Amino acid sequence: DAGVTQSPTHLIKTRGQQVTLRCSPKSGHDTVSWYQQALGQGPQFIFQYYEEEERQRGNFPDRFSGHQFPNYSSELNVNALLLGDSALYLCASSPGPGDREQYFGPGTRLTVT
Amino acid sequence: GNSVTQMEGPVTLSEEAFLTINCTYTATGYPSLFWYVQYPGEGLQLLLKATKADDKGSNKGFEATYRKETTSFHLEKGSVQVSDSAVYFCALSPYTGNQFYFGTGTSLTVIP
């Protein structure tokens, strides 16, 4: 049973560019959440998707957007990249929006230069 | 609001020493509480959880008890190993919603 998978593993972008990160949830899970983990910090909640809609959002600007596909996989898009967007981006999945146990993927390391 | 305060690190222990990492929380309602572990270069792995007051979560020799009266969820292990070296995160999930709130993490290094 595959767990949560994310791609790519690492990414280097330039300020002002746009980036798309991808996540496939654990088998049987239909809810995907995205987190940003800056170096030396705990993960910060970006948003959650369920039934292809954004259900909850943390304190992140509109430059951060997402999408969920019918197969429950998800994308995180970040526009107009800033140096401060450099972080580990974690995807987490759960069996439903009301289920409080989340399984995390290995993350995508984004470096903005 | 919801927040988690974690004991600051880094923590360095000798093998077989006793470990305690303090975690306190603020939450509305009745949160679930979690400890996650992150090994270098990897994502977060669930270590243990507790969903209601007085529950004790345990896994791989680690334990934590959900204390509502002190709003705490301290992580303990009686005898640490070198392989326990990692960053440990305390987290809560509120009664409503599925968003997790994480502490800042505590880095543990166990030396032989």
Side-chain angles (χ1 to χ4, degrees):
Chain A
D1 176 24
V4 179
T5 60
Q6 292 185 244
S7 63
T9 305
H10 296 90
L11 206 50
I12 300 175
K13 290 286 189 179
T14 303
R15 272 179 300 176
Q17 286 189 316
Q18 179 264 344
V19 69
T20 297
L21 311 182
R22 295 177 176 82
C23 170
S24 290
K26 184 177 167 65
S27 177
H29 289 187
D30 60 8
T31 302
V32 173
S33 300
W34 286 93
Y35 291 80
Q36 180 194 66
Q37 185 181 13
L39 198 61
Q41 299 297 314
Q44 298 289 318
F45 176 76
I46 303 175
F47 43 52
Q48 180 186 87
Y49 276 83
Y50 171 66
E51 292 186 333
E52 302 180 48
E53 289 188 9
E54 183 182 296
R55 297 289 175 161
Q56 269 191 292
R57 188 178 184 92
N59 189 25
F60 279 81
D62 292 344
R63 299 186 297 110
F64 289 77
S65 63
H67 188 76
Q68 185 178 35
F69 299 93
N71 67 353
Y72 309 124
S73 66
S74 177
E75 289 182 348
L76 164 65
N77 301 294
V78 187
N79 294 322
L81 284 167
L82 304 173
L83 294 179
D85 295 332
S86 295
L88 180 68
Y89 288 85
L90 295 166
C91 171
S93 73
S94 55
D99 192 297
R100 290 190 269 177
E101 185 162 333
Q102 296 190 349
Y103 295 80
F104 284 81
T108 293
R109 172 71 63 188
L110 172 65
T111 302
V112 182
T113 61
Chain B
N2 298 292
S3 67
V4 174
T5 301
Q6 226 179 297
M7 166 180 162
E8 297 215 0
V11 174
T12 302
L13 294 173
S14 297
E15 206 165 20
E16 299 183 4
F18 185 85
L19 168 71
T20 300
I21 301 177
N22 291 336
C23 170
T24 57
Y25 68 90
T26 302
T28 52
Y30 305 93
S32 288
L33 301 174
F34 303 82
W35 277 99
Y36 279 85
V37 59
Q38 187 174 38
Y39 297 99
E42 298 184 11
L44 275 68
Q45 298 177 24
L46 177 64
L47 181 58
L48 54 84
K49 67 176 181 179
T51 57
K52 60 183 187 297
D54 299 326
D55 267 3
K56 177 185 282 189
S58 61
N59 186 26
K60 300 180 181 179
F62 291 88
E63 293 183 340
T65 301
Y66 189 141
R67 302 285 189 200
K68 191 168 184 294
E69 63 276 11
T70 55
T71 62
S72 65
F73 193 55
H74 304 322
L75 182 68
E76 296 182 337
K77 187 176 186 183
S79 175
V80 294
Q81 304 301 312
V82 172
S83 58
D84 294 327
S85 298
V87 180
Y88 292 81
F89 292 93
C90 184
L92 73 83
S93 178
Y95 182 73
T96 55
N98 206 14
Q99 176 179 347
F100 272 46
Y101 296 83
F102 285 87
T104 54
T106 301
S107 175
L108 170 67
T109 300
V110 180
I111 54 177

